[in-house]
Amino acid sequence: MMLNRWKLFSSCFYGAAKQSVCSSVKTRGLSVTPQRLEYSEHNEDQKTTVTFLNREMGDMISVDGISQYGFHLNSGVVVLGPMAVFPRTVLGWNVPSAPHITPASLALFAILEPRLDCLVIGTGDRGTTVSKEVIAFLRQKKISFEILPTEQAAATFNFMNLERRCVAGALIPPVDVRLVDRDYEQHQKSQRQALLEEP
């Protein structure tokens, strides 16, 4: 059976905004910007087209980048520290790390109307998780949830938001951010530029 559409994620890096936080901070471009790859049997010349979905989101929020200090949104806003993100709103979230996520810190998500289709919790680094008490609280309140490392949680939030689902994200910046080749090149370029600009 031939598929007519594929959806995938592409890497996106916004080094300039992250440099304003700290020039020596490790940053990583993430696979959080959705793309649509389309193939149609009815297309005469059988061309494949790619569309960046975050450009189609309009006033919807997507997370375009993550650093140790926070998040870069598609609107150009840089959020420092953990955040609670909704389809059109972002709030600071006063939770320093995954072990500090408690039922009280998630109470906001339980009282929202309309009810959430899914709460995506980004715990920071791989291997970190939340307590059984938090999972029991979410089940008791009948909130569907995903608990993932922040990189994956941001991508999941973006994808669900793009589908116009009632989704929220509770995201903690990771401590361990690995550089990818493009990040390293961008970092080196910004350091050279800074050296040239110094008096």
Side-chain angles (χ1 to χ4, degrees):
M1 179 177 163
M2 183 172 286
L3 296 175
N4 288 335
R5 291 185 176 207
W6 296 276
K7 293 184 181 174
L8 56 108
F9 294 100
S10 71
S11 297
C12 183
F13 179 70
Y14 291 90
K18 292 176 186 170
Q19 291 169 12
S20 64
V21 175
C22 179
S23 61
S24 64
V25 174
K26 291 182 184 177
T27 58
R28 181 173 185 201
L30 299 176
S31 300
V32 294
T33 305
Q35 286 184 345
R36 182 181 302 141
L37 184 60
E38 297 177 2
Y39 175 80
S40 173
E41 296 175 22
H42 307 293
N43 195 350
E44 293 174 9
D45 53 3
Q46 299 298 315
K47 290 185 180 179
T48 301
T49 61
V50 177
T51 306
F52 285 92
L53 297 179
N54 75 332
R55 294 179 187 150
E56 296 176 1
M57 292 188 75
D59 61 346
M60 304 294 277
I61 292 175
S62 70
V63 180
D64 284 351
I66 296 175
S67 76
Q68 293 172 328
Y69 292 99
F71 304 90
H72 189 276
L73 306 180
N74 63 332
S75 61
V77 173
V78 176
V79 178
L80 297 177
M83 69 175 177
V85 60
F86 304 93
R88 291 183 173 86
T89 306
V90 177
L91 302 172
W93 190 40
N94 194 18
V95 177
S97 63
H100 294 93
I101 299 174
T102 63
S105 67
L106 297 173
L108 167 67
F109 302 105
I111 62 172
L112 292 173
E113 284 296 330
R115 295 189 62 78
L116 293 175
D117 291 338
C118 186
L119 171 62
V120 182
I121 300 174
T123 59
D125 297 312
R126 295 185 186 282
T128 57
T129 187
V130 297
S131 69
K132 292 179 182 176
E133 180 182 76
V134 169
I135 293 171
F137 170 77
L138 293 170
R139 287 184 178 151
Q140 175 200 3
K141 297 295 183 178
K142 297 181 180 166
I143 299 173
S144 298
F145 60 92
E146 292 284 338
I147 300 171
L148 303 164
T150 299
E151 291 180 27
Q152 294 172 348
T156 301
F157 170 81
N158 289 347
F159 190 75
M160 294 177 92
N161 195 19
L162 182 69
E163 292 179 333
R164 306 286 190 218
R165 295 178 62 185
C166 190
V167 63
L171 307 176
I172 298 172
V175 174
D176 180 34
V177 181
R178 297 174 311 274
L179 292 173
V180 293
D181 291 339
R182 286 186 307 172
D183 297 338
Y184 183 73
E185 290 171 13
Q186 182 68 26
H187 179 70
Q188 293 295 327
K189 184 178 175 181
S190 66
Q191 283 186 329
R192 283 191 298 268
Q193 187 67 25
L195 288 173
L196 292 174
E197 293 176 357
E198 287 184 4

